[in-house]
Amino acid sequence: MTDPASLADRVQEGELRIHELEDEADFDAAAEARRLLLERETDADLETIGDYVFPAERAEPNIENMIGATQVPMGVVGPVAVSGGAVDGERYLPLATTEGALLASVNRGLSAIRSAGGADARVTKNGMTRAPVFRVDGVAEAAETVEWVEENLEALRDAAESTTSHGELLGVEPYVVGDSVYLRFAYDTKDAMGMNMATIATEAACEVVESETPASLVALSGNLCSDKKPAAINAVEGRGRSVTADVVIPGELVEDRLHTTAEAVVEANTRKNLVGSAKAGSLGFNAHAANVVGAAFLATGQDEAQVVEGANAITTMDARNADDGATDLYASVSLASLEVGTVGGGTKLPTQSEALDVLGLRGGGDPAGSNADALAEIIAVAALAGELSLLAALASNHLASAHEDLGR
């Protein structure tokens, strides 16, 4: 193997650039050379960063200028009891986080859900989007372009689907703003999260639009997609998977496991998640859905920046009169734009692949798309558990003491 120290010296002397190391050495030696050089330049000790267990070559599609790996503590919650459209039964869910008390809180919520017979979950919509923006001379040309697009969906579908053996174009929604035309393409990307798939397919379709209409492509993404940014369009129209989970928890169980009442949880949800969020102008009406979504994304190799959209959720709570005269708690969480996959991207990295193995969801499902649907349903139930536990802690005034015990 090439000596990493000599490579680092060559970079420092200007004979090599850091990004050229892959041409001079194997991937592990290149990573070590960068790390040695960085240690010299910064006087930092990077021993722990360099102590990773997988071949650096495995990460080559996922990162440039690699120097090592960040290790985030991973735990497990569950079993997650779910009756879904793609998964039925109990699954353990790995979560990676640095926030103490999070997994304990989610497990408390899951305990209540399991004792109530489990939660229902369904993916209600599926479509990864990419929205290019075109320039036209004015509204007349904009209308001409939109009319052509609406009448020639099959031509766009043929062009888009010629770039992939898996993706399917579901539809194209046009938007006009002055002399700008936005076309929001939506795809079924099966078990892949599908952002790259959608981008490549849309580029091919844009070539057809340019050749057949007065429109000129300005940017392949015009931000109506909308990727990795808070956006109302994702809350309304969805992006990736739109998934909802719900459960009815008997009043006695609320008191026994969550140490509060259905009425108190409902009031906390209304005043905090609904009224408080509205006053704040929030795009998410939930307590902390991002906690579970983010931890699940890190553990299973999802694109962590898409937690922005993935946590775009609404939590609802309702007190229901039971036949025995008790008051039960209905709880739901609806994630409008959860972008997940079980193939491609970070899911191929070793630790993330193992986490998907825990779920039994590594790779493509049968039928195609079922594994990603199942992952979405499991995350939704775990997020619901997190909402139940946190709202119950707030309703019973136990939040601060729980963090003192577990999260300091």
Side-chain angles (χ1 to χ4, degrees):
M1 187 176 79
T2 307
D3 178 26
S6 66
L7 286 173
D9 289 338
R10 291 174 65 191
V11 172
Q12 196 166 42
E13 292 167 4
E15 296 179 16
L16 280 174
R17 296 186 180 186
I18 285 180
H19 71 269
E20 294 174 333
L21 288 175
E22 282 87 349
D23 299 329
E24 299 290 329
D26 65 74
F27 289 94
D28 286 298
E32 187 175 353
R34 292 190 201 94
R35 190 167 60 254
L36 290 170
L37 179 64
L38 195 58
E39 286 183 330
R40 293 181 202 170
E41 295 289 329
T42 65
D43 291 326
D45 181 356
L46 306 182
E47 179 182 1
T48 306
I49 289 175
D51 187 17
Y52 53 94
V53 299
F54 56 89
E57 187 174 2
R58 291 284 297 273
E60 190 272 334
N62 303 98
I63 196 165
E64 299 78 42
N65 291 345
M66 181 174 168
I67 62 170
T70 296
Q71 299 177 73
V72 180
M74 184 185 297
V76 65
V77 296
V80 181
V82 53
S83 174
V87 59
D88 187 41
E90 295 187 343
R91 303 287 177 99
Y92 286 98
L93 174 63
L95 297 177
T97 184
T98 58
E99 181 178 344
L102 175 60
L103 272 70
S105 178
V106 174
N107 263 333
R108 184 171 80 128
L110 288 174
S111 174
I113 289 173
R114 284 197 307 274
S115 296
D120 291 323
R122 295 292 189 278
V123 172
T124 56
K125 192 174 184 180
N126 175 23
M128 177 50 67
T129 59
R130 178 54 86 201
V133 55
F134 297 83
R135 178 197 315 112
V136 293
D137 281 344
V139 68
E141 285 192 358
E144 179 183 346
T145 300
V146 168
E147 182 179 3
W148 185 91
V149 168
E150 292 177 339
E151 292 178 353
N152 292 274
L153 181 60
E154 287 305 314
L156 296 178
R157 179 174 285 115
D158 289 343
E161 293 182 4
S162 70
T163 67
T164 173
S165 59
H166 301 291
E168 297 179 12
L169 178 62
L170 301 174
V172 183
E173 188 69 26
Y175 298 85
V176 174
V177 182
D179 60 356
S180 296
V181 176
Y182 300 82
L183 300 177
R184 195 171 191 257
F185 288 74
Y187 298 87
D188 181 355
T189 55
K190 309 306 180 184
D191 283 304
M193 181 272 283
M195 192 69 267
N196 290 338
M197 186 188 301
T199 298
I200 294 168
T202 300
E203 183 178 40
C206 286
E207 294 175 1
V208 178
V209 173
E210 284 194 295
S211 67
E212 299 293 335
T213 75
S216 298
L217 181 66
V218 175
L220 193 54
S221 173
N223 270 10
L224 252 110
C225 310
S226 178
D227 190 37
K228 302 175 183 176
K229 292 166 283 291
I233 194 168
N234 290 338
V236 176
E237 297 295 336
R239 189 170 196 259
R241 263 85 178 171
S242 298
V243 56
T244 294
D246 67 1
V247 67
V248 176
I249 301 180
E252 183 178 347
L253 193 57
V254 175
E255 296 180 11
D256 180 54
R257 296 294 175 85
L258 301 177
H259 309 298
T260 185
T261 65
E263 294 89 345
V265 175
V266 170
E267 182 178 12
N269 185 70
T270 299
R271 295 184 186 277
K272 171 184 168 63
N273 286 344
L274 305 185
V275 179
S277 296
K279 179 64 176 175
S282 175
L283 288 178
F285 289 68
N286 62 85
H288 69 146
N291 251 332
V292 173
V293 172
F297 275 25
L298 284 175
T300 62
Q302 311 305 314
D303 189 331
E304 64 271 18
Q306 290 180 329
V307 174
V308 174
E309 305 101 276
N312 195 339
I314 297 176
T315 298
T316 68
M317 302 278 177
D318 186 29
R320 293 187 175 180
N321 294 324
D323 293 338
D324 60 2
T327 301
D328 297 341
L329 175 65
Y330 171 83
S332 80
V333 64
S334 298
L335 304 165
S337 43
L338 188 66
E339 295 140 329
V340 294
T342 58
V343 298
T347 67
K348 296 185 293 184
L349 291 169
T351 57
Q352 288 80 356
S353 293
E354 290 177 8
L356 288 170
D357 282 339
V358 171
L359 285 155
L361 298 176
R362 188 207 288 209
D366 185 16
S370 59
N371 274 2
D373 282 349
L375 180 58
E377 291 172 354
I378 292 168
I379 291 174
V381 175
L384 176 60
E387 295 292 282
L388 280 166
S389 186
L390 177 53
L391 287 168
L394 290 167
S396 60
N397 201 25
H398 288 161
L399 179 63
S401 61
H403 277 274
E404 285 179 351
D405 291 341
L406 298 171
R408 296 192 67 168

